[in-house]
Structure formats: structure tokens, C-alpha cells
Amino acid sequence: MIGEMNRRVLIEAWGFTPDGFGGNVAAVASSFSVWAQVENRSGGMSLFSGQENYNYDYKITVRWHPDIKKENTIFYAGKRLKIFNVSLVDEGKDRFYNLRCAVSDKN
């Protein structure tokens, strides 16, 4: 699995900054890059019982990192990806995350 991690992705944590007019604007507060295996998938959004359901566009596998959360975004190949699911692949010594992501409109 390590040998297949041949792409660098940027993990972004978001925060809010004052916009000078009494409001707040979302901005990247911190970021770090990791090696990843990126698999392109097809995806889309559907509405079911009034709830948005997202199919993922990308499956990204990374080594476990304590700062990777569902609230983060990923910047890869000029696209910002929203993380919809973070799942642990292996609970042994070498742990990995599978991140299910979709292209975000937030740029």
C-alpha cells in the first residue's frame, strides 16, 4: 500500500476571520501535505427525504494522522475536495484512512 501512495495532497483546516464589516469569512487556518493514493471515482448528489446524499468522486488513502477530520478539505490537482467519510482501514501497527471525497464548490 505504501508504494501506491504516489501523490501529494494538501489537507486544509478551516477557520473564520473577520471581514472588516462585522461579519466573518471562512478561510484556510492551517494546512499540511501528505502522501496519498488517489483513486478517481464517479459521483453525484441526490435528494432523499429532504436530505442531501453525496456519492463520492474520489477515494483517497493516506497514513493515519491525528489532524485528519471530516471537517477538513483536501486540495488536489487544482480542485478542493470536501471529505464526506473518514474510515480506518487497518487497526494494526500501520494504520491508514480511506477518505471519501467529492469536489467542493468552495474555492
Side-chain angles (χ1 to χ4, degrees), residues 1 59 61-62 87-92 94-98:
M1 184 174 288
K59 175 183 165 191
T61 304
V62 297
S87 59
L88 197 58
V89 175
D90 187 3
E91 298 201 23
D94 293 322
R95 295 180 290 180
F96 300 93
Y97 278 148
N98 273 341

Side-chain angles (χ1 to χ4, degrees), residues 54-104:
Y54 290 90
N55 298 326
Y56 64 95
D57 292 323
Y58 290 89
K59 175 183 165 191
I60 299 176
T61 304
V62 297
R63 271 177 113 41
W64 179 87
H65 192 286
D67 295 330
I68 296 177
K69 299 173 180 62
K70 187 178 169 187
E71 296 78 25
N72 298 127
T73 57
I74 294 175
F75 194 76
Y76 171 71
K79 299 175 189 165
R80 182 155 285 121
L81 309 174
K82 181 176 168 81
I83 302 172
F84 288 102
N85 181 275
V86 177
S87 59
L88 197 58
V89 175
D90 187 3
E91 298 201 23
K93 183 179 177 186
D94 293 322
R95 295 180 290 180
F96 300 93
Y97 278 148
N98 273 341
L99 309 175
R100 312 282 189 194
C101 308
V103 176
S104 172

Side-chain angles (χ1 to χ4, degrees), residues 15-70:
F16 292 95
T17 58
D19 65 2
F21 299 101
N24 293 316
V25 176
V28 175
S30 64
S31 63
F32 59 93
S33 63
V34 295
W35 286 103
Q37 176 186 4
V38 179
E39 298 175 54
N40 193 2
R41 308 283 188 185
S42 61
M45 191 273 297
S46 60
L47 215 55
F48 181 73
S49 297
Q51 275 191 311
E52 292 180 353
N53 295 307
Y54 290 90
N55 298 326
Y56 64 95
D57 292 323
Y58 290 89
K59 175 183 165 191
I60 299 176
T61 304
V62 297
R63 271 177 113 41
W64 179 87
H65 192 286
D67 295 330
I68 296 177
K69 299 173 180 62
K70 187 178 169 187

